[in-house]
Amino acid sequence: MSNLGHTIRREFPLFNDPANQGLVYLDNAATTQRPRQVVEAMQDFYYHDNANPHRGAYRLAERATQSYEDARDKVAGFIGAASSEEIIFTRNATEAVNLVAYAWADHVLQEGDDIIVTEMEHHSNLVPWQMLAQRHHASLRYVGFDGQGQLQLDQFDALLRLRPRIVAVTQVSNALGTINPVAEMIRRAHAAGAVVVLDGAQSVPHMAVNVTELDVDFLVFSGHKMLGPLGIGVLYAHKRLHSAMQPVLYGGDMISNVDYDHSDWNDMPWKFEAGTQNVAGAVGLAAAIDFLRDLGMDAVAEHDRLLTGYALEQLQQLDGITLYGPRRNHGPAISFNLTGIHPHDLATYLDQASIAVRSGHHCAQIVMKKLGLAATARASFYIYNTLEEVDRLIAGLNQAKDYFKKWL
Amino acid sequence: MSNLGHTIRREFPLFNDPANQGLVYLDNAATTQRPRQVVEAMQDFYYHDNANPHRGAYRLAERATQSYEDARDKVAGFIGAASSEEIIFTRNATEAVNLVAYAWADHVLQEGDDIIVTEMEHHSNLVPWQMLAQRHHASLRYVGFDGQGQLQLDQFDALLRLRPRIVAVTQVSNALGTINPVAEMIRRAHAAGAVVVLDGAQSVPHMAVNVTELDVDFLVFSGHKMLGPLGIGVLYAHKRLHSAMQPVLYGGDMISNVDYDHSDWNDMPWKFEAGTQNVAGAVGLAAAIDFLRDLGMDAVAEHDRLLTGYALEQLQQLDGITLYGPRRNHGPAISFNLTGIHPHDLATYLDQASIAVRSGHHCAQIVMKKLGLAATARASFYIYNTLEEVDRLIAGLNQAKDYFKKWL
Amino acid sequence: MALDQLYQEILLDHYKQPRNKGVLVDPNVRLELKNPFCGDEILLTLRVDDGVVTDVAFSGHGCVISQASASVMTEKIKGMTVQQVKQMAEQFSDLVKTGHAETVLREGGDDLDAFSGVCEFPTRVKCAMLAWRTLLQGLEHHEHQHHYLDDEKSRATD
Amino acid sequence: MALDQLYQEILLDHYKQPRNKGVLVDPNVRLELKNPFCGDEILLTLRVDDGVVTDVAFSGHGCVISQASASVMTEKIKGMTVQQVKQMAEQFSDLVKTGHAETVLREGGDDLDAFSGVCEFPTRVKCAMLAWRTLLQGLEHHEHQHHYLDDEKSRATD
Ligand SMILES: Cc1ncc(COP(=O)(O)O)c(C=O)c1O
Ligand SMILES: Cc1ncc(COP(=O)(O)O)c(C=O)c1O
């Protein structure tokens, strides 16, 4: 198990590039690398089956359509959706959240309604709701988190008493590493009559997520954070919401009939996919799912846990470190700071040692405000990382402390 | 010159696939095939430079950012934009039109305003305006076309007297093959105080288009119709419009500051690019532009003209054929019907002879209504097509006539 | 040649002399559907009395496959119960997708069998199914309405 | 080591003992900017009298590069004309992007030269430029306002 990182690395050509020799890539929460299986699946599509899907009466177009719809079926299976109709392809998780806001929420929200988010949301699952609230004079309410980065569920319960229309919450935080008890939260939200939008950008890549078991209303995630290509994301929309959803982007396949003064729409899910779609992206995402399934999502989660546990243990021993987020049950993104070293300077130092970590607010400025910080450094792991790489990180941090000593 | 198709074909692996042996691909108005240079550019990005752009303080992220912004510069140069700020990456042309509607038009349109479109628009440059008009109780007005598929400019002039807010027009029709006099139309529209949205989906791939010379306000096009990848498109927005444009999708890079109750936006063009972008797609589009520039857009246009001219000449000689669109100055998409053979049956027959043509309404149902048709067959050419392939098409049509004789 | 498997003589017959072409004067089921990708349209009118299809007609335009399929369908379903119709639709769908079909269709006989070649032409499955999809949706609306009326009635007598 | 080129001793000095840190009591130029990608913030206050920067202060927080750059900048521009400041900003931008700079900067002297190592770290260019971008935008607003006031005045005397 601890060897997963070693054995699997070979499949990722980026790590074999001489220019990236010795690279310790620890920015997986931002985007992952791609195994050759994913890139080759896209290449195969372009070199053998490429055509504009859905509309051609010739065989090549049929193969393209099949590739696209097979990818949709694969996504549906991967997250346990009841039907492929519930899978809408988007550009990324961000667009998927916005689509929920424009396609559904704009049609049901009323003045004075409440929308619940949490203080640990990524901007992508926060600002769309902020703007929605502004458009409808609705109230945006925040569930806070405690010193361990855990959501304050008593606040959540109190807010549910307002009978909010929408609850938008992330399953795993990219800034704190918190894994939220979303199954329970969904149950309570539903009991209060709310519709739940789950941000799976950091969960779907790392653990088995089953929308039917969760009984979630909407789930969003991005292909590029789970070995898949850039430019493809997913909105899962439970069938019960379909009739209340209206198209947002118009043109191309999403249409069934156009007349001079009005038009009619195609069926789900195509009515939300306007214009020529990123078929190669969907094909690449399907290949990524195959890759992850071959490993098994439990093995993926186990590897994350191994690395994260070891990293937390080692990091804690560094003098002058502050770790943000939970002590236990920590997701694979670890935010921290070293006293007196700005995370930006730290990242530059580590980069010179070929260690790629993120520094900044991680698109979670509310988290930073709450912690009274401008920025943190963040190391985030995935299947190709190894325990030795964690050691490299720790060594790098020790050297950085030494280097910046005189700046303190 | 007449050999361009032959020499260039080698660079397109799809044509070398045994499964596609002898394939005559004549559905280029729907999507083109990709040269290996484009697919390899994307692969190179994934295998050497992949990271989440804009936000990382490490070198890999810097290379990713550079790749993305270089691609933007290349697009700007290709269409003669004054600055890269004017280039917004989208998923496709369809999304780009919708973005104009939501980001700009929704903020300036007033009840009773007029919007001019033409009867030959693709649904993607029609339905967004139809819906915009519905939202604002504005009037959508159509410029008709004559028996030769030419816009009726006298109608256009008459409509301009209403001092419309918006004129949306395609430069080249995908359904009729008409090449519209857009330079002159833009001049007249500006004189009437209108803002012009130009649909370049069928022009940018086929001819030199210079936004500065045209002085156009907005231009949209898709990468996949010009040798580039699926999942990447472009909105050119003239600088003079920027201050009136508001973001549509929220989250990720498009933000500069987030607070509990409000947020501020990043600068142009990023403020319209929410979430992680399709960097590989942009890189692939840049490679496609390099490929086209190496050929020279004049050579591309010349090759189109050669094939289109020859095809029209040959098609005219077929008994029972009806050709739609202009007699002369015809773009590289040719719509036609054979008496008594439904285009869908015709496409199936041709497909059996490995000739891929499109049949249907080509997402231009108003054109079909106007012509009193349900559908046409369409052959559309690009740089890798040859005169021999036109001969194959003609032979195929003759055989089809023979095959379906008894069904007449 | 595969093409001859698609364009069988029986289809030719139905295409040239479509059965039940037109519009019923007094239908209680009426639905128009469009194949969004080729523009083909069909208008189906039916009379369903006591759960049995007593009359049916189709109009519209389209390719050989969609027109012949509509013609064959109207011929087959007349006199059938709604239940039987639904079963046949499912079997027909299997047939055009896979080339094989179950027993009910066997009883339906030769004219339906003539669509077994469609499975080699996946892009044409939609054409073959257009009339049947219209039929199923029309019947669904009808049942809905029916139930609704029943409900109204029962509530009225409450 | 390239890192030592970035983190030069002179920067250390400015970072540990920032010059002109604080907020002016009576500024006529005031602007706050944020580096959206790292969260660094700077608040710049200036007095510009008759086209000359007579006083300046900065506050905020950020990395070594952005803080040292702000400190050096405030030291350099005091006493300069707005025109000179703009020229220097351009030169400085060249310096941090390419490692080379033109004559004006030479006259500016050693402390600015210490930023020549930034060019090896493209992701840090934004840090080095933050204070200067804020300055330029602040001056632009000021001029705008100024012109506007001038216009008002001339209209008033018309
Ligand atoms: C004239 C025209 N406009 C717009 C589009 C839409 O392009 P896309 O599907 O790439 O968004 C097309 C392509 O079908 C087109 O031909
Ligand atoms: C929790 C979370 N939500 C949403 C997103 C947005 O993903 P994308 O940029 O792919 O749209 C991210 C990625 O940064 C994330 O970490």
Side-chain angles (χ1 to χ4, degrees):
Chain A
M1 183 49 52
S2 80
N3 267 332
L4 180 60
H6 287 292
T7 48
I8 220 128
R9 268 181 108 72
R10 281 178 230 131
E11 312 289 345
F12 292 77
L14 182 127
F15 296 121
N16 300 325
D17 175 7
N20 297 324
Q21 220 199 333
L23 172 67
V24 178
Y25 182 73
L26 300 180
D27 197 14
N28 293 289
T31 196
T32 59
Q33 301 302 334
R34 279 97 199 146
R36 50 176 187 75
Q37 288 83 341
V38 166
V39 175
E40 285 169 7
M42 291 191 283
Q43 176 173 315
D44 279 353
F45 171 78
Y46 281 128
Y47 287 177
H48 303 292
D49 303 325
N50 173 70
N52 202 319
H54 291 308
R55 278 177 273 171
Y58 49 89
R59 284 164 294 170
L60 194 64
E62 177 57 30
R63 292 213 299 277
T65 306
Q66 200 64 48
S67 303
Y68 189 54
E69 297 304 329
D70 284 352
R72 195 191 305 278
D73 294 346
K74 186 149 284 171
V75 171
F78 186 62
I79 59 169
S83 138
S84 296
E85 272 180 294
E86 299 179 319
I87 305 299
I88 298 164
F89 283 120
T90 64
R91 177 189 6 243
N92 51 31
T94 301
E95 190 194 24
V97 177
N98 281 277
L99 188 52
V100 176
Y102 288 125
W104 172 76
D106 262 337
H107 303 289
V108 301
L109 208 69
Q110 281 164 17
E111 192 169 330
D113 275 351
D114 293 286
I115 304 167
I116 300 188
V117 295
T118 84
E119 286 184 341
M120 68 172 77
E121 297 311 309
H122 187 281
H123 295 164
S124 296
N125 196 32
L126 173 55
V127 184
W129 307 119
Q130 212 174 56
M131 297 305 291
L132 178 77
Q134 279 184 22
R135 286 198 293 280
H136 296 271
H137 304 283
S139 303
L140 191 67
R141 316 258 180 196
Y142 288 82
V143 179
F145 57 85
D146 64 19
Q148 297 228 6
Q150 301 291 354
L151 286 180
Q152 289 168 309
L153 292 180
D154 50 335
Q155 287 183 11
F156 181 58
D157 287 335
L159 290 173
L160 286 180
R161 264 173 246 129
L162 299 170
R163 300 197 65 81
R165 186 76 56 157
I166 299 168
V167 170
V169 59
T170 193
Q171 189 163 14
V172 175
S173 159
N174 71 311
L176 295 166
T178 318
I179 302 173
N180 290 316
V182 294
E184 180 58 27
M185 291 174 76
I186 292 167
R187 217 168 296 129
R188 295 188 202 173
H190 281 171
V195 161
V196 180
V197 184
L198 188 62
D199 180 348
Q202 298 294 341
S203 59
V204 174
H206 293 280
M207 55 175 74
V209 174
N210 186 301
V211 289
T212 304
E213 280 169 22
L214 287 174
D215 191 30
V216 72
D217 301 286
F218 294 105
L219 171 75
V220 306
F221 58 99
S222 282
H224 69 95
K225 290 185 203 281
M226 53 186 284
L227 311 180
L230 293 157
I232 193 86
V234 173
L235 169 61
Y236 161 82
H238 193 292
K239 194 158 185 161
R240 63 181 163 246
L241 279 315
H242 291 192
S243 63
M245 292 169 75
Q246 291 298 323
V248 179
L249 298 177
Y250 308 103
D253 270 6
M254 57 73 64
I255 285 167
S256 78
N257 180 55
V258 173
D259 219 321
Y260 282 83
D261 57 355
H262 80 284
S263 300
D264 304 309
W265 316 133
N266 197 346
D267 299 330
M268 286 294 290
W270 305 287
K271 94 173 168 194
F272 293 99
E273 297 178 350
T276 305
Q277 295 299 301
N278 187 356
V279 182
V283 166
L285 177 56
I289 289 175
D290 282 339
F291 193 94
L292 288 171
R293 279 199 156 166
D294 282 352
L295 294 175
M297 287 312 287
D298 290 340
V300 169
E302 181 54 36
H303 185 69
D304 280 347
R305 260 194 299 276
L306 178 81
L307 294 181
T308 308
Y310 181 64
L312 283 171
E313 195 185 295
Q314 297 294 309
L315 285 167
Q316 266 160 19
Q317 294 171 26
L318 290 180
D319 262 359
I321 197 162
T322 310
L323 287 164
Y324 308 102
R327 282 310 123 75
R328 59 182 66 210
N329 194 26
H330 196 300
I334 305 179
S335 263
F336 61 93
N337 264 319
L338 289 178
T339 312
I341 309 180
H342 190 284
H344 218 162
D345 292 314
L346 184 61
T348 293
Y349 183 91
L350 291 175
D351 183 38
Q352 290 296 302
S354 294
I355 302 166
V357 302
R358 168 72 32 137
S359 64
H361 51 59
H362 319 298
C363 290
Q365 289 186 34
I366 299 291
V367 171
M368 298 300 134
K369 291 206 164 110
K370 172 107 171 187
L371 297 176
L373 299 168
T376 72
R378 183 186 71 186
S380 55
F381 306 110
Y382 209 29
I383 49 171
Y384 33 67
N385 290 125
T386 64
L387 293 171
E388 289 79 0
E389 289 185 319
V390 176
D391 291 334
R392 287 266 308 277
L393 170 66
I394 302 295
L397 291 173
N398 274 313
Q399 287 153 13
K401 281 173 56 181
D402 204 46
Y403 187 84
F404 287 111
K405 214 167 40 211
K406 60 182 175 189
W407 300 75
L408 288 179
Chain B
M1 181 53 48
S2 82
N3 267 332
L4 180 60
H6 288 291
T7 48
I8 220 127
R9 267 181 109 74
R10 282 178 227 130
E11 310 290 344
F12 292 77
L14 183 128
F15 296 121
N16 300 325
D17 175 8
N20 297 324
Q21 221 199 331
L23 172 66
V24 178
Y25 182 72
L26 299 180
D27 196 14
N28 293 290
T31 197
T32 58
Q33 301 302 335
R34 278 96 199 151
R36 51 175 186 74
Q37 288 83 343
V38 165
V39 175
E40 285 169 9
M42 291 190 282
Q43 176 173 312
D44 279 352
F45 172 78
Y46 281 128
Y47 287 177
H48 303 292
D49 302 325
N50 173 69
N52 203 317
H54 292 306
R55 276 177 275 171
Y58 50 88
R59 284 163 293 171
L60 194 64
E62 177 58 28
R63 292 213 300 275
T65 306
Q66 201 64 48
S67 304
Y68 189 54
E69 296 304 329
D70 283 354
R72 195 191 304 278
D73 294 345
K74 186 148 282 171
V75 170
F78 187 61
I79 59 169
S83 139
S84 296
E85 273 180 292
E86 299 179 320
I87 305 300
I88 299 165
F89 283 119
T90 64
R91 181 193 357 248
N92 50 33
T94 301
E95 190 194 25
V97 177
N98 282 276
L99 189 52
V100 176
Y102 287 124
W104 171 78
D106 262 337
H107 303 290
V108 301
L109 207 69
Q110 281 165 18
E111 192 168 330
D113 275 350
D114 293 287
I115 304 166
I116 301 188
V117 295
T118 84
E119 287 185 340
M120 68 171 76
E121 296 311 310
H122 187 280
H123 295 163
S124 296
N125 196 31
L126 173 56
V127 183
W129 307 120
Q130 211 174 58
M131 297 305 290
L132 178 77
Q134 279 185 21
R135 286 199 293 281
H136 296 271
H137 304 284
S139 304
L140 191 66
R141 316 258 180 196
Y142 288 83
V143 179
F145 58 86
D146 64 19
Q148 296 229 6
Q150 300 291 353
L151 286 181
Q152 288 167 309
L153 293 180
D154 51 333
Q155 287 183 11
F156 181 57
D157 288 334
L159 289 172
L160 285 181
R161 265 174 245 129
L162 299 170
R163 299 197 66 78
R165 186 76 58 157
I166 299 167
V167 170
V169 59
T170 193
Q171 190 163 12
V172 175
S173 158
N174 70 312
L176 294 166
T178 318
I179 302 173
N180 290 316
V182 294
E184 179 57 27
M185 291 174 77
I186 291 167
R187 221 169 294 130
R188 296 188 201 172
H190 281 172
V195 161
V196 180
V197 183
L198 188 61
D199 181 349
Q202 298 295 342
S203 59
V204 174
H206 293 280
M207 55 175 74
V209 174
N210 186 303
V211 290
T212 304
E213 280 170 21
L214 288 173
D215 191 30
V216 71
D217 300 286
F218 294 104
L219 170 75
V220 306
F221 57 99
S222 283
H224 70 94
K225 291 187 202 279
M226 53 187 283
L227 311 180
L230 293 156
I232 193 86
V234 173
L235 169 60
Y236 161 83
H238 193 291
K239 194 159 186 163
R240 64 181 163 247
L241 280 315
H242 290 191
S243 63
M245 293 171 73
Q246 291 299 323
V248 179
L249 298 178
Y250 308 102
D253 271 6
M254 57 74 64
I255 284 167
S256 79
N257 180 55
V258 173
D259 220 319
Y260 283 84
D261 57 355
H262 81 282
S263 300
D264 304 309
W265 316 133
N266 198 345
D267 300 328
M268 287 293 292
W270 306 288
K271 97 174 169 194
F272 293 100
E273 297 179 350
T276 305
Q277 295 300 300
N278 188 357
V279 182
V283 165
L285 177 56
I289 289 175
D290 282 339
F291 193 94
L292 288 171
R293 279 198 155 168
D294 282 352
L295 295 175
M297 288 309 290
D298 290 340
V300 170
E302 182 53 38
H303 185 69
D304 280 347
R305 259 194 300 276
L306 179 82
L307 294 180
T308 308
Y310 181 65
L312 284 171
E313 195 187 296
Q314 297 294 310
L315 285 167
Q316 266 159 20
Q317 294 170 27
L318 290 179
D319 261 359
I321 199 163
T322 310
L323 287 163
Y324 308 101
R327 281 310 121 76
R328 58 182 65 209
N329 194 24
H330 197 300
I334 305 178
S335 264
F336 61 93
N337 265 319
L338 288 177
T339 312
I341 309 180
H342 190 284
H344 217 163
D345 292 316
L346 183 61
T348 293
Y349 183 90
L350 292 174
D351 182 40
Q352 290 296 302
S354 293
I355 302 166
V357 301
R358 170 71 33 136
S359 63
H361 52 61
H362 318 298
C363 290
Q365 289 187 32
I366 300 290
V367 170
M368 298 300 134
K369 291 207 163 110
K370 173 107 172 185
L371 297 176
L373 299 168
T376 72
R378 182 187 71 186
S380 55
F381 306 109
Y382 209 29
I383 49 171
Y384 34 66
N385 291 126
T386 64
L387 293 171
E388 289 79 0
E389 289 186 319
V390 176
D391 290 335
R392 288 267 306 278
L393 170 66
I394 303 295
L397 291 174
N398 274 315
Q399 287 152 14
K401 281 173 57 183
D402 204 47
Y403 187 83
F404 288 111
K405 215 168 37 215
K406 60 181 176 191
W407 300 76
L408 289 179
Chain C
M1 187 189 180
L3 217 51
D4 295 332
Q5 285 303 310
L6 181 62
Y7 294 109
Q8 296 187 24
E9 290 291 329
I10 303 171
L11 269 61
L12 177 59
D13 180 44
H14 278 277
Y15 182 68
K16 297 197 100 166
Q17 286 151 29
R19 328 292 197 260
N20 305 301
K21 186 113 193 203
V23 181
L24 296 189
V25 183
D26 184 27
N28 55 3
V29 181
R30 178 197 165 93
L31 198 80
E32 195 164 358
L33 265 199
K34 197 161 179 161
N35 185 343
F37 303 124
C38 65
D40 286 359
E41 275 174 359
I42 183 168
L43 169 65
L44 207 63
T45 46
L46 281 93
R47 267 229 67 94
V48 178
D49 298 305
D50 296 328
V52 172
V53 177
T54 52
D55 204 0
V56 54
F58 83 99
S59 72
H61 51 79
C63 60
V64 166
I65 311 298
S66 74
Q67 295 300 293
S69 172
S71 170
V72 172
M73 182 187 82
T74 57
E75 220 177 27
K76 291 289 157 192
I77 64 171
K78 227 186 276 184
M80 277 190 176
T81 66
V82 169
Q83 200 45 43
Q84 286 172 319
V85 165
K86 284 187 186 169
Q87 224 171 333
M88 182 173 272
E90 212 166 287
Q91 309 268 335
F92 185 73
S93 167
D94 282 352
L95 177 76
V96 294
K97 281 178 191 153
T98 67
H100 304 289
E102 297 301 321
T103 41
V104 175
L105 208 56
R106 285 278 89 77
E107 295 160 23
D110 293 331
D111 287 9
L112 286 172
D113 263 351
F115 290 88
S116 62
V118 174
C119 70
E120 301 285 329
F121 299 83
T123 59
R124 307 306 298 275
V125 169
K126 278 197 189 119
C127 310
M129 288 305 298
L130 181 61
W132 290 91
R133 279 205 306 131
T134 313
L135 176 65
L136 287 178
Q137 286 190 26
L139 289 175
E140 217 170 89
H141 288 189
H142 177 69
E143 279 173 38
H144 229 137
Q145 216 173 5
H146 217 70
H147 282 157
Y148 181 72
L149 290 176
D150 282 356
D151 281 0
E152 291 281 285
K153 263 188 244 160
S154 58
R155 234 176 298 154
T157 53
D158 268 353
Chain D
M1 188 191 180
L3 217 51
D4 294 334
Q5 286 302 312
L6 180 62
Y7 295 109
Q8 296 186 21
E9 290 291 328
I10 302 171
L11 269 63
L12 176 59
D13 181 44
H14 278 278
Y15 182 67
K16 296 196 99 167
Q17 285 151 30
R19 326 295 197 258
N20 305 302
K21 186 113 194 201
V23 181
L24 294 190
V25 182
D26 184 27
N28 55 2
V29 181
R30 180 199 163 91
L31 198 80
E32 196 166 356
L33 265 198
K34 198 162 178 163
N35 185 343
F37 302 125
C38 65
D40 286 359
E41 273 172 1
I42 185 168
L43 169 65
L44 208 62
T45 46
L46 281 93
R47 267 228 68 91
V48 178
D49 298 304
D50 294 328
V52 173
V53 177
T54 51
D55 204 1
V56 54
F58 83 99
S59 71
H61 52 78
C63 62
V64 166
I65 310 300
S66 73
Q67 294 299 293
S69 172
S71 170
V72 172
M73 181 188 83
T74 57
E75 223 178 26
K76 289 289 157 196
I77 63 171
K78 228 184 277 184
M80 278 189 175
T81 65
V82 169
Q83 202 43 46
Q84 286 171 317
V85 165
K86 284 187 185 167
Q87 224 170 333
M88 181 173 272
E90 214 166 285
Q91 310 268 333
F92 185 74
S93 166
D94 283 353
L95 177 75
V96 295
K97 282 177 189 153
T98 67
H100 304 290
E102 296 301 322
T103 41
V104 176
L105 208 56
R106 284 277 91 76
E107 295 159 23
D110 293 329
D111 287 10
L112 286 171
D113 264 351
F115 290 88
S116 61
V118 175
C119 70
E120 300 285 327
F121 299 83
T123 59
R124 307 306 298 275
V125 169
K126 276 193 190 124
C127 310
M129 288 304 298
L130 180 60
W132 290 90
R133 279 205 306 132
T134 313
L135 176 65
L136 288 177
Q137 286 191 25
L139 290 175
E140 217 169 89
H141 289 190
H142 177 68
E143 278 173 40
H144 229 134
Q145 217 173 2
H146 217 69
H147 282 156
Y148 181 69
L149 290 176
D150 283 356
D151 281 2
E152 290 282 286
K153 262 188 245 163
S154 58
R155 236 175 296 155
T157 53
D158 269 354

